[in-house]
Amino acid sequence: MTAIDFKRFFAKTTPIAPSPVQAMAKETAIVASHINLVYRNGGEEFNALQDVSLTVKSGEVHLLMGPSGSGKTTLLSILAGLLTPTRGQVNLLGEEITQLSRSRLAAFRLKHLGFVFQGFNLFPALTACENVEVAFHLKGVPQARKHAIELLDQVGLADRCNHRPQDLSGGQKQRVAIARALAGNPQIIMADEPTAALDSQNGHAIITLLRNLAKTSGRTVLIVTHDPRILDVADRVTDLEDGKVVTKAKLG
Amino acid sequence: MASIARKNLFEDIPRFLVAQAGIMFAVSLVTVQLGILRGFSRSTAIVIDYARADLWVASKEMVAFELTSPLPADYVNKSMAITGVDRAEILLVRAGRWRGADGKLSPARIFGFNPDGELFAGWTLSDGSLQAIKQPYTAIIASGVEKSLGLDENNRTGSIAGLPVTIVGTAEDVQSNASSPFLFSSLETANTYGDAEINSSINCVRQPDGNLNCTNSFKNRPLGQKLGDLASPQPLSLSDPISYILIRAKPGQNLPQLKQRLLAALPETQILTQAEIAAITRNYWEVRTGVGFILGLGATVGFIVGMVVVGQILYASVADHIREFGTLKAMGASNGVIYRIIIEQSLWMAILGYVPSIGICLTLGQWTQMTRGIMILIEPSTAAAVLLLTVVMCMGSAIFAVQKVTRVDPAIVFKA
């Protein structure tokens, strides 16, 4: 899929008002305002993100799309508080995270965010259950084992509790990663190319699962992807190109 | 919570075993070096430790147990006459050249004492008896010196200065690592061996001009004299030089006051408690000879090598799992959580490297003691110290790994 295909698709959709700050309301989960990120390499400067603004409403599945190098993963890192923007603010669940110290930011992520990664990022030495338990333990949730099994059951992997990642298929690994992301009931799930390492059938199944699990509990899901096959599960799409927001679209 | 540290460690068993081999090498190196140092230190004064004397009368010039000047033998009678002395026994420390049955020479340290005495020979005999050395030209050897003296089960004889020696017993765990093979004989036999090395005579003739013309002649004894050809060793005379007098005080005596009385009665001497003479001897070997420094340096090098080895292993392990640590940071784990994982991993490595290493070193120590009489002393305190060192070594090494994790950019988790 190329950027041209996206543009053709977005051309059929209704653009959203450009100012996310204006759109901010109680139901808003993520508000990014005028995000700029400048990399300096010697005397040269590279603008990875230029005046990016974005609003994601609570309970919505929002896709962040664009070609490789468009800055979508960089934006996700900033929205997750893993990267500090050169300029601009990020507000998550009403908290201005760009003002938080590292330790408070870590505590915020622990409490409110769940992550799903392109490479799964499971602990290879731990079983599926233990991988999910880790998240519960970090959050200080008691009876972690019981909760981990319940979550694995929700993603259809209760019978794989004691299997290590090496014994699971790509789709199963991503299901374990989703279960881990859901541990402790975070309000926002951030997923980076969650289908990139999967075939189309598994990829679609994973995204559908993610959407269903999010929708049933009112979670907000922000997915970075360049896979147009998952557009049908999204409520809203933002398209990035060369570090700038090109289009925003509300689907369905 | 599943121990990420432990699981990471056992994830790849061959790699784990290679890593543990490195740690075991380092721990064994430190343990053996410390054990040799401790064993060497203990062995240099072990003969003193076995004695049961309250006080030792030594020459004022004494430097260490085996490096002293002679005392007159009649000091033993003077000692006995002093108020508060219950018993006084002579100890001779002599050097000799042992010639084994194969004709090869070896230095030997000869101790002469009264086999009916109560103050010197506190050690255990693995064979023979103290009474056996009452026979002329017999001796007890320290265990582990057989090979040095060319002895075996079938051949228990040799000679010193041409005089025959028959081995009639073996004393356990009494050899000094710093000294020649020990032989224990009666006073008479030891004195004879000590004096017999070279016969010398001086003949002087007064010249008509009044000057003396003297000729000093030295002659070795003939080799391989048979017992039947020899007269029995002569008892010590009051003019014979002796090395030490071991004193037992009467019950309830004030030892410092008794020391003063002995010092006043015995000119040119120093009166030492057993602990004092042992400490002087150990200090001499550890400090003045530099042996202690060398062995201590070996232990220090072992510690540094261990830290480098463990540091490399931990660093490599952390590097292998850097994405996992990044994931934990992205999920919101505090640095403390991640440090605990690394520290726990280093502690597991320390314990799992330490236990087999100590077992190997204890076995090695027993083997060297049995076969060569060389003591690698691993006492509970040494083992505890090595455990502490191992933990410090592993934890210290973990600092490198912690540094790496501290610098991890959690944004790496979004890179495929």
Side-chain angles (χ1 to χ4, degrees), chain A:
Chain A
M1 183 63 66
T2 64
I4 296 168
D5 293 323
F6 287 121
K7 283 175 181 173
R8 195 169 58 204
F9 175 82
F10 292 134
K12 297 175 188 170
T13 61
T14 310
I16 290 173
S19 171
V21 177
Q22 289 170 359
M24 192 167 70
K26 278 188 178 178
E27 70 271 17
T28 304
I30 303 170
V31 179
S33 309
H34 308 292
I35 299 295
N36 284 271
L37 185 72
V38 180
Y39 288 121
R40 289 184 177 82
N41 186 5
E44 289 185 39
E45 287 193 349
F46 170 69
N47 293 306
L49 294 172
Q50 296 177 57
D51 199 32
V52 173
S53 294
L54 176 74
T55 301
V56 180
K57 287 185 177 176
S58 294
E60 118 181 331
V61 176
H62 195 117
L63 297 191
L64 203 53
M65 300 190 78
S68 293
S70 59
K72 54 190 187 298
T73 297
T74 305
L75 178 59
L76 184 69
S77 299
I78 289 172
L79 297 178
L82 300 174
L83 207 57
T84 307
T86 310
R87 283 190 303 278
Q89 285 96 43
V90 177
N91 189 300
L92 298 184
L93 305 169
E95 181 92 40
E96 178 64 54
I97 66 162
T98 33
Q99 301 299 317
L100 296 178
S101 65
R102 278 189 164 197
S103 58
R104 287 192 61 198
L105 201 49
F108 183 88
R109 283 200 303 269
L110 188 61
K111 187 176 179 186
H112 299 293
L113 305 186
F115 292 97
V116 179
F117 307 100
Q118 178 181 347
F120 319 124
N121 290 20
L122 298 176
F123 300 100
L126 304 186
T127 64
C129 267
E130 289 166 345
N131 264 286
V132 181
E133 275 182 75
V134 165
F136 280 113
H137 280 295
L138 288 177
K139 293 166 193 264
V141 177
Q143 295 187 291
R145 185 72 169 189
K146 179 172 161 272
H147 293 309
I149 293 170
E150 285 169 2
L151 278 178
L152 282 177
D153 193 32
Q154 286 183 42
V155 299
L157 285 179
D159 60 335
R160 294 286 185 274
C161 176
N162 293 316
H163 286 62
R164 296 210 300 179
Q166 66 188 36
D167 302 322
L168 301 174
S169 68
Q172 288 173 329
K173 286 178 193 169
Q174 200 59 297
R175 284 165 187 263
V176 175
I178 290 170
R180 182 176 68 182
L182 295 173
N185 208 18
Q187 288 147 280
I188 301 173
I189 304 289
M190 294 188 175
D192 179 43
E193 304 275 11
T195 61
L198 304 174
D199 58 48
S200 59
Q201 194 180 351
N202 265 314
H204 202 273
I206 286 294
I207 289 298
T208 306
L209 174 71
L210 194 55
R211 178 190 165 86
N212 292 342
L213 289 171
K215 287 291 178 186
T216 51
S217 52
R219 292 188 186 95
T220 305
V221 181
L222 179 63
I223 302 172
V224 162
T225 185
H226 60 267
D227 185 353
R229 294 168 301 185
I230 63 173
L231 276 169
D232 59 338
V233 300
D235 298 313
R236 212 174 271 266
V237 176
T238 297
D239 189 35
L240 282 178
E241 196 169 301
D242 296 330
K244 297 175 189 166
V245 174
V246 180
T247 52
K248 297 179 183 181
K250 183 178 182 181
L251 303 178

Side-chain angles (χ1 to χ4, degrees), chain B residues 75 78-79 82 260-267 269:
Chain B
Y75 271 21
K78 289 183 178 175
S79 300
I82 291 169
Q260 291 304 316
R261 288 199 291 276
L262 284 164
L263 203 55
L266 307 172
T269 64

Side-chain angles (χ1 to χ4, degrees), chain B residues 12 44 64 81 88 98 138 178 216 337 380 398 405:
Chain B
D12 183 348
T44 54
W98 168 276
T138 58
N216 192 359
V337 168
V405 171

Side-chain angles (χ1 to χ4, degrees), chain B residues 192-271:
Chain B
T192 305
Y193 287 146
D195 289 343
E197 187 68 24
I198 295 172
N199 286 334
S200 65
S201 59
I202 298 175
N203 291 311
C204 296
V205 178
R206 185 176 291 278
Q207 298 296 307
D209 59 4
N211 290 332
L212 283 174
N213 186 6
C214 295
T215 307
N216 192 359
S217 65
F218 299 89
K219 188 173 73 175
N220 281 336
R221 280 182 180 275
L223 296 176
Q225 291 193 64
K226 292 196 171 89
L227 276 174
D229 305 333
L230 294 168
S232 292
Q234 294 301 303
L236 252 64
S237 70
L238 290 178
S239 61
D240 280 328
I242 62 171
S243 305
Y244 296 98
I245 299 168
L246 279 63
I247 304 286
R248 183 169 72 198
K250 285 180 177 167
Q253 282 298 309
N254 182 317
L255 282 186
Q257 289 177 4
L258 180 58
K259 278 172 86 170
Q260 291 304 316
R261 288 199 291 276
L262 284 164
L263 203 55
L266 307 172
E268 300 300 311
T269 64
Q270 51 182 325
I271 316 297

Side-chain angles (χ1 to χ4, degrees), chain B residues 107-319:
Chain B
R109 179 66 67 193
I110 308 157
F111 295 95
F113 67 101
N114 179 2
D116 290 325
E118 299 172 14
L119 303 184
F120 177 64
W123 17 265
T124 307
L125 291 171
S126 60
D127 64 80
S129 71
L130 282 184
Q131 297 306 310
I133 61 171
K134 287 182 178 174
Q135 290 297 316
Y137 304 110
T138 58
I140 289 168
I141 55 167
S143 62
V145 304
E146 291 89 343
K147 198 167 182 180
S148 301
L149 298 179
L151 298 169
D152 56 41
E153 286 181 5
N154 300 319
N155 172 38
R156 305 283 284 172
T157 60
S159 64
I160 293 174
L163 297 170
V165 184
T166 301
I167 304 304
V168 293
T170 308
E172 284 295 314
D173 187 27
V174 72
Q175 177 64 40
S176 164
N177 291 354
S179 188
S180 309
F182 283 178
L183 286 91
F184 302 96
S185 292
S186 65
L187 287 169
E188 299 78 13
T189 298
N191 194 39
T192 305
Y193 287 146
D195 289 343
E197 187 68 24
I198 295 172
N199 286 334
S200 65
S201 59
I202 298 175
N203 291 311
C204 296
V205 178
R206 185 176 291 278
Q207 298 296 307
D209 59 4
N211 290 332
L212 283 174
N213 186 6
C214 295
T215 307
N216 192 359
S217 65
F218 299 89
K219 188 173 73 175
N220 281 336
R221 280 182 180 275
L223 296 176
Q225 291 193 64
K226 292 196 171 89
L227 276 174
D229 305 333
L230 294 168
S232 292
Q234 294 301 303
L236 252 64
S237 70
L238 290 178
S239 61
D240 280 328
I242 62 171
S243 305
Y244 296 98
I245 299 168
L246 279 63
I247 304 286
R248 183 169 72 198
K250 285 180 177 167
Q253 282 298 309
N254 182 317
L255 282 186
Q257 289 177 4
L258 180 58
K259 278 172 86 170
Q260 291 304 316
R261 288 199 291 276
L262 284 164
L263 203 55
L266 307 172
E268 300 300 311
T269 64
Q270 51 182 325
I271 316 297
L272 303 162
T273 63
Q274 194 151 299
E276 286 169 343
I277 190 169
I280 288 169
T281 301
R282 290 194 169 107
N283 183 65
Y284 169 77
W285 284 108
E286 287 173 11
V287 179
R288 281 190 57 178
T289 65
V291 174
F293 174 75
I294 294 295
L295 293 175
L297 189 65
T300 307
V301 168
F303 179 76
I304 293 168
V305 168
M307 270 196 77
V308 172
V309 168
V310 179
Q312 284 180 332
I313 292 166
L314 263 180
Y315 193 82
S317 173
V318 166

